[in-house]
Amino acid sequence: MIGPPSCEFAPGPLRAMSSRPLHVRWLGRTKYRDAYALQHALALRGTDDWLLCQEHEPTYTMGVRTDPANVLVDPATVGAELVRADRGGDVTFHGPGQLTAYPVLTLPGRGAGDKPDTPAYVRTVEQVVIDTLSDLGLPGATRLDDYPGVWIARPGQRPRKIAAIGVRMAHNRTLHGVALNVCPDLGFFEHIVPCGITEYGVTSLAAEGIDVGLEEATDAFIARAAQRWGGGPIDRSDVVWRHHVTDLAPFSRPAPDGGTADPSPIDPPSTTLPPVIPSPVTLSPRRSKRLADAGVSEAVPYRQRKPEWMRARVEHGAEVTALKRQIGSLDLVTVCEEAGCPNLSECWADGTATFMINGERCTRACGFCLVDTRRPAPLDADEPSRVAQAVVSMGLDFAVVTAVARDDLDDGGAAAFAATIEAIRAARPHCRVEVLIPDCKGDADALDRIFEARPDVLNHNIETVARLQRAARPSADYTRSLAVLARAADAGLVTKSGMVLGLGETEAEIGSTLTDLAGVGVSIVTMGQYLRPTAAHLPVAHWWAPGDFDRFALMATQAGIAHAESSPFTRSSHHAAQAADAASVAGRQVKAVSVTP
C-alpha cells in the first residue's frame, strides 16, 4: 500500500505542480539516442508535462562534467554504446533491468521572472525514489552528504548508490532524470567509475535482496511521481512489456557483433500456444501471441460483410488505365498497387500516384501490410531518374515518394531517397516533394542524409498506439518513430505521421498518441480504418464509423496538430498536397534547432 509522500523536506512550489496534464509513458527497451531526441523535443515543443519511463539498451552516458578517464574500457568491447549527454554529472550506465525515468516538466520560478530552484527539484526526484524504495520493501534509502543520487547506507556498512540522478533545466523545462537499479547486470558498472565516485560502490534492489521485477518497480515509481508532479489530468500509455529478439524480422535482429544479423529462418515458436483470435484461417502462433500480449481478444470475422461506409467503389477508367501503362513502361512501383490502397481509383483519376522506391520487397513483416517480404533485390541506380521522368511526363506539381524498409542496407535506403528528391527537383524545380520514410533503424547519419535533401514534407508513420506497436510492427519502435519525427522537426522540416485504426486501440489511446505526435512537432496527421489484406494478417478488431473519424480529427487539432486528414478511407498520401497547403496556412512551420547528443 502506498502511503503519503515523505515530508522530510519542504519543496515549496515544486510540491503541487499545476493543472497541466501529465502524460505517463512506459516505452519499453529503447535506444538512448532515441529517448534523448524524444525528451528534448517534448521539452522544446510540448505544452504539457510528460514522464517517460523505459529501460535502455546497454549505454554509458557522459555528462558535461565527465572525466574521460572514468571510462575504463572501450564500451564496444563489453557490448555497450558510449554517448555524450547534456545533463550534469559524470559517467554512468543505463541498461536492461534498470528503470530510467525522464520527467519533462515545466517548473515554476522562485519569484516573478526567476528561474526554477534546480536543487529543490533534484530533491523532489530523490524523494520520489526514496518513497518508491520504501513501498517496494527497502526502507532507509537516503541522501549522502556531498554525493548526488539515492543511497543505501546502513550502520556498519559502506554506502552504496542505488539510483543516479542527473538533470538539466532549459527554459523552465526539465530534462533527463533518474536511473534506478532494479535488477541490472551490475558488472557493467565495473567498466567505469560510476558518477566519478571512487569511494563507494553501486547496488540494486536485487542485490539488496528485494525480489521485484521491473514492471512492479515502474508502477510503484509512477504512483509516487504522479503524487509529486501530477497536479492535473494524468493519462498513461504502455508499450507491451514482453521483449524478445524473436519478435523481430530476421533483418532487424542484432548480430553478435552489434551489426545486423544475416536473415536466417526464424526460430519456430511454441506450438502449444492456441490462437487467441477466432478466424476461418488461423493466424500464425507468433502473431496470435503478440495480440494476446497486447490484450486484443476480439475480432471481426474475416468474411463478415463490411459496413456500408467501408464499401469503396473501384472504377478503373481510361485515365487510370493510361497512367498504369505509363508507370509500367518506366518499370516503376507504386504503393497504391502494392499496398492495395482503397483510394487508387480516385488518386489515379486525378493523375497522381505515390512512387515506391528501393524495390518492392520489404525486410520487415508488419502484421497489417500487404507488401512482399521476400529477400530484397539489389538497388536500381537508375530508379531516381525514372521517378523524375514520370513526374515530368505526368505534369505533377506535388510528388509523393515512399519506400519499403531496407534493413539489409547500411543506411536503410536513405541515399536513394535523397537522390530521388534531387532528381525530381532537377527535372521539375517547382514540384513539391513529400517523402514517406522508414525509420532507417534510427541511424542519425542516414536520417540526416534525407533531411539535407529538404523534402517539402517529411512523413513517417507511427502506425498505431503504444500498446499495439509490437503486435502490428514488431521490428519498429514507438520511441524510435517519435524520435525520427522529432529529428525531422529539429531540422526545420514540416513533419507528418499517420495511424491505421481498428486494430484494437481505444479512443483514449488514440488521444494519447496524438498528444505525443503534437509534442514532438508533427504538423499533419492522417487516420484511416484498417482493412485486413488477407486472413494471415492481423484481424480487424473494430469498425470506426465516419463520425468517429470526424471526432478524431478534432482531437488532433485540439492537441496542437495543424491539419488532420481523418476518414475511413484516408491513407498516408491521400490529399497530400491539400494537407501540406493546409498545414502551411496554419503556420505550423518548425524552427530548426540542434539537440543531437
Side-chain angles (χ1 to χ4, degrees):
M1 180 71 179
I2 295 176
S6 168
C7 296
E8 181 175 322
F9 72 101
L14 297 180
R15 176 62 186 89
M17 296 301 296
S18 71
S19 59
R20 191 177 291 106
L22 177 64
H23 307 292
V24 179
R25 303 289 183 258
W26 167 252
L27 299 173
R29 188 173 298 178
T30 66
K31 287 278 191 180
Y32 180 85
R33 293 177 186 271
D34 292 336
Y36 185 102
L38 173 57
Q39 62 165 316
H40 277 73
L42 294 175
L44 177 69
R45 301 187 179 89
T47 57
D48 296 340
D49 292 341
W50 275 264
L51 176 62
L52 308 177
C53 298
Q54 62 259 291
E55 59 176 343
H56 285 311
E57 299 289 353
T59 308
Y60 294 111
T61 65
M62 300 173 67
V64 294
R65 294 188 295 276
T66 295
D67 180 350
N70 288 334
V71 181
L72 306 178
V73 302
D74 178 356
T77 64
V78 295
E81 186 179 14
L82 180 65
V83 178
R84 288 191 174 273
D86 58 357
R87 61 163 173 80
D90 209 292
V91 64
T92 191
F93 171 74
H94 296 304
Q98 181 191 74
L99 167 60
T100 304
Y102 302 128
V104 181
L105 313 172
T106 299
L107 299 185
R110 288 171 285 190
D114 288 347
K115 294 181 179 180
D117 186 343
T118 302
Y121 168 65
V122 171
R123 290 195 296 272
T124 68
V125 178
E126 291 171 341
Q127 196 61 49
V128 167
V129 175
I130 290 169
D131 292 338
T132 298
L133 292 173
S134 180
D135 297 334
L136 294 171
L138 186 60
T142 187
R143 301 171 182 85
L144 203 63
D145 290 343
D146 300 324
Y147 293 98
V150 176
W151 297 77
I152 305 300
R154 298 191 180 100
Q157 298 179 356
R158 290 186 66 77
R160 49 212 178 271
K161 180 178 278 192
I162 196 167
I165 294 174
V167 302
R168 182 191 172 203
M169 208 75 64
H171 307 292
N172 288 31
R173 296 279 273 178
T174 64
L175 289 163
H176 305 287
V178 58
L180 172 60
N181 297 331
V182 180
C183 51
D185 179 356
L186 294 179
F188 278 102
F189 290 93
E190 298 174 2
H191 306 302
I192 59 173
V193 179
C195 302
I197 300 172
T198 58
E199 298 90 334
Y200 304 118
V202 176
T203 190
S204 66
L205 278 159
E208 297 297 319
I210 305 299
D211 184 17
V212 299
L214 190 62
E215 184 171 2
E216 182 181 352
T218 299
D219 288 343
F221 178 88
I222 287 172
R224 284 294 184 173
Q227 284 183 332
R228 182 70 61 173
W229 299 314
I234 299 174
D235 79 282
R236 177 174 171 178
S237 291
D238 292 14
V239 302
V240 170
W241 282 82
R242 178 175 174 269
H243 178 91
H244 199 277
V245 70
T246 56
D247 284 342
L248 304 179
F251 273 111
S252 303
R253 297 182 188 180
D257 61 359
T260 300
D262 182 63
S264 55
I266 295 176
D267 299 331
S270 170
T271 57
T272 62
L273 297 174
V276 298
I277 303 296
S279 173
V281 178
T282 301
L283 290 176
S284 69
R286 180 174 287 103
R287 283 185 173 166
S288 292
K289 182 64 169 63
R290 290 175 192 152
L291 286 171
D293 288 339
V296 179
S297 59
E298 297 181 354
V300 173
Y302 178 55
R303 301 193 184 280
Q304 184 183 80
R305 186 174 175 83
K306 295 182 179 67
E308 186 63 36
W309 66 82
M310 290 306 307
R311 298 174 197 167
R313 294 181 61 191
V314 179
E315 298 178 353
H316 293 321
E319 301 94 337
V320 172
T321 302
L323 186 54
K324 187 177 181 69
R325 283 198 300 268
Q326 187 176 20
I327 292 172
S329 68
L330 293 170
D331 194 24
L332 295 174
V333 178
T334 69
V335 75
C336 320
E337 296 169 288
E338 287 295 307
C341 180
N343 302 311
L344 184 148
S345 295
E346 176 190 352
C347 294
W348 282 29
D350 288 339
T352 63
T354 298
F355 301 100
M356 189 164 77
I357 63 172
N358 290 345
E360 55 189 21
R361 297 179 180 179
C362 185
T363 54
R364 300 187 182 179
C366 296
F368 57 85
C369 185
L370 187 60
V371 173
D372 189 345
T373 58
R374 291 175 295 169
R375 182 187 290 270
L379 294 185
D380 182 347
D382 292 331
E383 189 173 56
S385 63
R386 294 202 308 276
V387 171
Q389 183 181 345
V391 168
V392 171
S393 62
M394 293 166 63
L396 298 183
D397 294 321
F398 195 100
V400 182
V401 179
T402 187
V404 292
R406 291 297 302 263
D407 292 331
D408 59 312
L409 303 175
D410 290 341
D411 69 348
F417 268 107
T420 304
I421 296 168
E422 292 159 1
I424 292 172
R425 293 258 171 79
R428 192 170 174 84
H430 71 276
C431 180
R432 290 182 291 167
V433 182
E434 174 178 317
V435 292
L436 171 54
I437 67 170
D439 59 33
C440 299
K441 294 192 283 191
D443 183 84
D445 292 337
L447 293 169
D448 284 346
R449 181 69 183 89
I450 300 174
F451 301 161
E452 288 163 1
R454 311 306 299 170
D456 295 276
V457 178
L458 189 291
N459 188 356
H460 173 70
N461 283 337
I462 198 78
E463 301 294 8
T464 187
V465 301
R467 176 174 55 87
L468 299 177
Q469 289 286 315
R470 288 183 181 147
R473 54 200 293 255
S475 292
D477 181 88
Y478 189 71
T479 302
R480 187 193 301 159
S481 287
L482 289 173
V484 168
L485 293 162
R487 288 165 174 156
D490 294 340
L493 299 175
V494 174
T495 54
K496 176 178 177 180
S497 191
M499 288 190 283
V500 287
L501 303 179
L503 290 167
E505 69 287 331
T506 67
E507 185 163 333
E509 288 176 316
I510 295 171
S512 294
T513 305
L514 291 170
T515 296
D516 292 344
L517 291 172
V520 299
V522 167
S523 302
I524 305 166
V525 70
T526 59
M527 291 173 280
Q529 172 68 48
Y530 170 58
L531 294 171
R532 189 178 190 179
T534 73
H537 287 77
L538 295 178
V540 174
H542 179 73
W543 297 114
W544 293 102
D548 297 323
F549 283 96
D550 293 340
R551 190 168 63 257
F552 301 155
L554 180 60
M555 289 165 56
T557 55
Q558 289 176 337
I561 293 170
H563 180 76
E565 288 283 333
S566 180
S567 73
F569 286 119
T570 292
R571 294 298 182 265
S572 296
S573 304
H574 199 206
H575 298 158
Q578 297 94 318
D581 290 338
S584 178
V585 169
R588 180 122 173 137
Q589 302 294 332
V590 184
K591 182 180 178 181
V593 297
S594 178
V595 298
T596 303

